[in-house]
PDB file of all heavy atoms in Angstrom:
ATOM      1  N   THR A 311     -21.740  -5.395   2.936  1.00 63.00           N
ATOM      2  CA  THR A 311     -22.181  -6.447   2.023  1.00 63.00           C
ATOM      3  C   THR A 311     -22.949  -5.827   0.868  1.00 63.00           C
ATOM      4  O   THR A 311     -23.456  -4.706   0.964  1.00 63.00           O
ATOM      5  CB  THR A 311     -23.096  -7.457   2.733  1.00 63.00           C
ATOM      6  OG1 THR A 311     -24.229  -6.759   3.272  1.00 63.00           O
ATOM      7  CG2 THR A 311     -22.354  -8.164   3.849  1.00 63.00           C
ATOM      8  N   ASP A 312     -23.038  -6.583  -0.231  1.00 63.00           N
ATOM      9  CA  ASP A 312     -23.817  -6.099  -1.362  1.00 63.00           C
ATOM     10  C   ASP A 312     -25.268  -6.570  -1.217  1.00 63.00           C
ATOM     11  O   ASP A 312     -25.655  -7.144  -0.193  1.00 63.00           O
ATOM     12  CB  ASP A 312     -23.205  -6.559  -2.684  1.00 63.00           C
ATOM     13  CG  ASP A 312     -23.162  -8.081  -2.821  1.00 63.00           C
ATOM     14  OD1 ASP A 312     -23.897  -8.775  -2.082  1.00 63.00           O
ATOM     15  OD2 ASP A 312     -22.407  -8.574  -3.668  1.00 63.00           O
ATOM     16  N   ALA A 313     -26.055  -6.328  -2.267  1.00 63.00           N
ATOM     17  CA  ALA A 313     -27.485  -6.643  -2.201  1.00 63.00           C
ATOM     18  C   ALA A 313     -27.741  -8.136  -2.020  1.00 63.00           C
ATOM     19  O   ALA A 313     -28.784  -8.538  -1.504  1.00 63.00           O
ATOM     20  CB  ALA A 313     -28.180  -6.141  -3.461  1.00 63.00           C
ATOM     21  N   GLU A 314     -26.770  -8.973  -2.428  1.00 69.00           N
ATOM     22  CA  GLU A 314     -26.931 -10.420  -2.309  1.00 69.00           C
ATOM     23  C   GLU A 314     -26.307 -10.974  -1.035  1.00 69.00           C
ATOM     24  O   GLU A 314     -26.258 -12.190  -0.844  1.00 69.00           O
ATOM     25  CB  GLU A 314     -26.323 -11.103  -3.536  1.00 69.00           C
ATOM     26  CG  GLU A 314     -27.001 -10.706  -4.846  1.00 69.00           C
ATOM     27  CD  GLU A 314     -26.334 -11.351  -6.043  1.00 69.00           C
ATOM     28  OE1 GLU A 314     -25.298 -12.037  -5.848  1.00 69.00           O
ATOM     29  OE2 GLU A 314     -26.847 -11.182  -7.161  1.00 69.00           O
ATOM     30  N   GLY A 315     -25.806 -10.090  -0.177  1.00 67.00           N
ATOM     31  CA  GLY A 315     -25.226 -10.536   1.085  1.00 67.00           C
ATOM     32  C   GLY A 315     -23.760 -10.902   1.010  1.00 67.00           C
ATOM     33  O   GLY A 315     -23.202 -11.433   1.979  1.00 67.00           O
ATOM     34  N   ASN A 316     -23.085 -10.619  -0.121  1.00 72.00           N
ATOM     35  CA  ASN A 316     -21.666 -10.939  -0.258  1.00 72.00           C
ATOM     36  C   ASN A 316     -20.808  -9.857   0.399  1.00 72.00           C
ATOM     37  O   ASN A 316     -21.061  -8.663   0.231  1.00 72.00           O
ATOM     38  CB  ASN A 316     -21.290 -11.050  -1.736  1.00 72.00           C
ATOM     39  CG  ASN A 316     -22.071 -12.129  -2.457  1.00 72.00           C
ATOM     40  OD1 ASN A 316     -22.086 -13.276  -2.020  1.00 72.00           O
ATOM     41  ND2 ASN A 316     -22.723 -11.771  -3.551  1.00 72.00           N
ATOM     42  N   HIS A 317     -19.780 -10.274   1.129  1.00 72.00           N
ATOM     43  CA  HIS A 317     -18.879  -9.327   1.763  1.00 72.00           C
ATOM     44  C   HIS A 317     -17.986  -8.665   0.713  1.00 72.00           C
ATOM     45  O   HIS A 317     -17.604  -9.288  -0.286  1.00 72.00           O
ATOM     46  CB  HIS A 317     -18.000 -10.019   2.804  1.00 72.00           C
ATOM     47  CG  HIS A 317     -18.753 -10.465   4.013  1.00 72.00           C
ATOM     48  ND1 HIS A 317     -19.293  -9.595   4.923  1.00 72.00           N
ATOM     49  CD2 HIS A 317     -19.069 -11.707   4.458  1.00 72.00           C
ATOM     50  CE1 HIS A 317     -19.897 -10.259   5.880  1.00 72.00           C
ATOM     51  NE2 HIS A 317     -19.792 -11.556   5.620  1.00 72.00           N
ATOM     52  N   THR A 318     -17.646  -7.415   0.953  1.00 76.00           N
ATOM     53  CA  THR A 318     -16.720  -6.705   0.086  1.00 76.00           C
ATOM     54  C   THR A 318     -15.306  -7.193   0.377  1.00 76.00           C
ATOM     55  O   THR A 318     -14.882  -7.254   1.530  1.00 76.00           O
ATOM     56  CB  THR A 318     -16.795  -5.185   0.322  1.00 76.00           C
ATOM     57  OG1 THR A 318     -18.117  -4.750   0.037  1.00 76.00           O
ATOM     58  CG2 THR A 318     -15.800  -4.445  -0.551  1.00 76.00           C
ATOM     59  N   HIS A 319     -14.576  -7.567  -0.688  1.00 81.00           N
ATOM     60  CA  HIS A 319     -13.198  -8.042  -0.547  1.00 81.00           C
ATOM     61  C   HIS A 319     -12.304  -7.152  -1.396  1.00 81.00           C
ATOM     62  O   HIS A 319     -12.586  -6.931  -2.576  1.00 81.00           O
ATOM     63  CB  HIS A 319     -13.074  -9.499  -0.986  1.00 81.00           C
ATOM     64  CG  HIS A 319     -11.790 -10.151  -0.580  1.00 81.00           C
ATOM     65  ND1 HIS A 319     -11.637 -10.847   0.596  1.00 81.00           N
ATOM     66  CD2 HIS A 319     -10.575 -10.182  -1.185  1.00 81.00           C
ATOM     67  CE1 HIS A 319     -10.394 -11.292   0.691  1.00 81.00           C
ATOM     68  NE2 HIS A 319      -9.731 -10.906  -0.387  1.00 81.00           N
ATOM     69  N   LEU A 320     -11.227  -6.642  -0.791  1.00 85.00           N
ATOM     70  CA  LEU A 320     -10.335  -5.703  -1.463  1.00 85.00           C
ATOM     71  C   LEU A 320      -8.939  -6.293  -1.570  1.00 85.00           C
ATOM     72  O   LEU A 320      -8.463  -6.963  -0.661  1.00 85.00           O
ATOM     73  CB  LEU A 320     -10.268  -4.378  -0.692  1.00 85.00           C
ATOM     74  CG  LEU A 320     -11.595  -3.680  -0.421  1.00 85.00           C
ATOM     75  CD1 LEU A 320     -11.392  -2.506   0.520  1.00 85.00           C
ATOM     76  CD2 LEU A 320     -12.224  -3.216  -1.727  1.00 85.00           C
ATOM     77  N   LEU A 321      -8.277  -6.041  -2.708  1.00 90.00           N
ATOM     78  CA  LEU A 321      -6.879  -6.423  -2.901  1.00 90.00           C
ATOM     79  C   LEU A 321      -6.075  -5.139  -3.005  1.00 90.00           C
ATOM     80  O   LEU A 321      -6.361  -4.289  -3.843  1.00 90.00           O
ATOM     81  CB  LEU A 321      -6.714  -7.257  -4.172  1.00 90.00           C
ATOM     82  CG  LEU A 321      -5.296  -7.785  -4.451  1.00 90.00           C
ATOM     83  CD1 LEU A 321      -4.880  -8.771  -3.347  1.00 90.00           C
ATOM     84  CD2 LEU A 321      -5.224  -8.466  -5.821  1.00 90.00           C
ATOM     85  N   ALA A 322      -5.096  -4.990  -2.114  1.00 89.00           N
ATOM     86  CA  ALA A 322      -4.369  -3.731  -2.019  1.00 89.00           C
ATOM     87  C   ALA A 322      -2.885  -3.934  -2.257  1.00 89.00           C
ATOM     88  O   ALA A 322      -2.324  -5.007  -2.002  1.00 89.00           O
ATOM     89  CB  ALA A 322      -4.592  -3.087  -0.648  1.00 89.00           C
ATOM     90  N   ALA A 323      -2.241  -2.872  -2.755  1.00 91.00           N
ATOM     91  CA  ALA A 323      -0.788  -2.808  -2.889  1.00 91.00           C
ATOM     92  C   ALA A 323      -0.303  -1.676  -2.003  1.00 91.00           C
ATOM     93  O   ALA A 323      -0.779  -0.545  -2.109  1.00 91.00           O
ATOM     94  CB  ALA A 323      -0.388  -2.557  -4.340  1.00 91.00           C
ATOM     95  N   ALA A 324       0.630  -1.976  -1.097  1.00 90.00           N
ATOM     96  CA  ALA A 324       1.116  -0.983  -0.145  1.00 90.00           C
ATOM     97  C   ALA A 324       2.640  -1.020  -0.094  1.00 90.00           C
ATOM     98  O   ALA A 324       3.260  -2.071  -0.291  1.00 90.00           O
ATOM     99  CB  ALA A 324       0.542  -1.237   1.251  1.00 90.00           C
ATOM    100  N   THR A 325       3.244   0.119   0.182  1.00 91.00           N
ATOM    101  CA  THR A 325       4.695   0.179   0.296  1.00 91.00           C
ATOM    102  C   THR A 325       5.155  -0.479   1.591  1.00 91.00           C
ATOM    103  O   THR A 325       4.458  -0.446   2.600  1.00 91.00           O
ATOM    104  CB  THR A 325       5.189   1.633   0.266  1.00 91.00           C
ATOM    105  OG1 THR A 325       4.658   2.335   1.394  1.00 91.00           O
ATOM    106  CG2 THR A 325       4.741   2.337  -1.013  1.00 91.00           C
TER     107      THR A 325
END
Side-chain angles (χ1 to χ4, degrees):
T311 58
D312 61 18
E314 298 177 356
N316 300 306
H317 290 291
T318 300
H319 193 92
L320 305 172
L321 183 64
T325 63

